[in-house]
Amino acid sequence: MLCNVFDFPVQARSLTSLIPGNEFHCVRQFTAEDVETFLKITGDANLIHTNSAAAIAAGLQAPILPGIMLASLFPAIIGTNFPGAIYLSQTLKFRQPATVESWVRATVRLEKLSGSRASFATECVLLPTPTPNKDKVGTPQDESTTTVLLEGQALALLKDINS
């Protein structure tokens, strides 16, 4: 599964149970290995994603996650909750970069449902660095201070599980 931690029980959703404002989330940490795999698949050779010197030369603090890698969480959330969904479009506004090994939370919020066409607001935020505790070792604990990394809109055709 793409997301390490879903903030909800993952199950197929019925369209009749959806109302505007429904949110679906996942929390994920992208490791250096994840980035290397993504770069190999996409052919992205930009060294700002893997090389500290190149990242610093570009004015960054450290290697950053590819923005599209973060955006890939949105169709993963929709497809996981709505099996058979067809992703039609996505707009993205990149606000801030995130460094490799960062924890992020991706959210899709239903804005409108017209038949099987669903429009979603999408957002990915940077979470504070996790502090291990006995309940959730290695996951972010305090989400009160988040930074928006990217936001946009998605449109998908959803298949009703009841039909």
Side-chain angles (χ1 to χ4, degrees):
M1 188 171 297
L2 182 60
C3 289
N4 291 345
V5 179
F6 277 95
D7 294 343
F8 52 85
V10 177
Q11 62 186 22
R13 313 279 177 173
S14 168
L15 297 187
T16 58
S17 68
L18 289 178
I19 57 171
N22 286 149
E23 290 188 351
F24 307 93
H25 312 272
C26 88
V27 174
R28 168 80 196 223
Q29 179 187 37
F30 286 108
T31 65
E33 183 179 321
D34 294 330
V35 172
E36 288 285 343
T37 300
F38 184 83
L39 297 178
K40 285 178 188 172
I41 291 169
T42 62
D44 185 344
N46 191 338
L47 293 177
I48 64 170
H49 302 303
T50 57
N51 181 284
S52 293
I56 291 168
L60 303 164
Q61 295 179 348
I64 63 169
L65 296 171
I68 294 298
M69 188 175 193
L70 293 171
S72 71
L73 295 173
F74 304 136
I77 294 169
I78 292 170
T80 299
N81 282 278
F82 304 99
I86 299 172
Y87 215 68
L88 298 176
S89 67
Q90 173 74 60
T91 62
L92 299 170
K93 295 177 186 170
F94 296 95
R95 302 293 187 197
Q96 295 287 324
T99 57
V100 176
E101 305 292 337
S102 294
W103 282 89
V104 299
R105 182 185 66 235
T107 301
V108 298
R109 183 181 64 255
L110 181 66
E111 290 194 319
K112 184 178 179 183
L113 183 62
S114 179
S116 62
R117 293 175 72 88
S119 60
F120 296 91
T122 58
E123 181 182 70
C124 188
V125 298
L126 179 67
L127 297 175
T129 303
T131 53
N133 71 27
K134 65 181 180 189
D135 297 325
K136 294 183 178 180
V137 176
T139 59
Q141 302 305 309
D142 177 17
E143 296 185 18
S144 61
T145 57
T146 59
T147 300
V148 175
L149 302 172
L150 70 117
E151 59 192 357
Q153 299 287 317
L155 180 64
L157 286 178
L158 306 182
K159 182 178 181 326
D160 198 334
I161 60 171
N162 293 326
S163 54

